[in-house]
Amino acid sequence: MSARFEVLKDEARLYRVQLRSAEGVVVAIAQGLQSLDAVKHVIASVRESAAMGLVVDLTQPI
């Protein structure tokens, strides 16, 4: 199984998007989205950011 985006509604009837890894671990959550268009925008943004994002090693002392 590959990673997947899950769309849910919370108690306030707002949309929430979870990104779940292939192992079933939730690795990202976006909450409080008003519409399915907002959900689509978040998913597109995460996909683009993941593909183009830099890796920054913060484990090294300054």
Side-chain angles (χ1 to χ4, degrees):
M1 178 167 103
S2 62
R4 66 184 190 185
F5 291 94
E6 300 174 339
V7 179
L8 307 115
K9 276 196 172 179
D10 62 19
E11 300 81 27
R13 307 286 296 154
L14 297 173
Y15 292 98
R16 182 174 71 199
V17 178
Q18 297 180 158
L19 174 57
R20 193 174 292 271
S21 71
E23 293 77 28
V25 177
V26 175
V27 294
I29 300 174
Q31 302 182 59
L33 303 169
Q34 299 283 336
S35 67
L36 286 176
D37 283 338
V39 167
K40 292 175 186 177
H41 178 74
V42 165
I43 291 171
S45 179
V46 170
R47 284 180 167 163
E48 182 178 338
S49 296
M52 303 299 290
L54 298 175
V55 176
V56 179
D57 183 358
L58 300 176
T59 62
Q60 301 301 315
I62 296 176

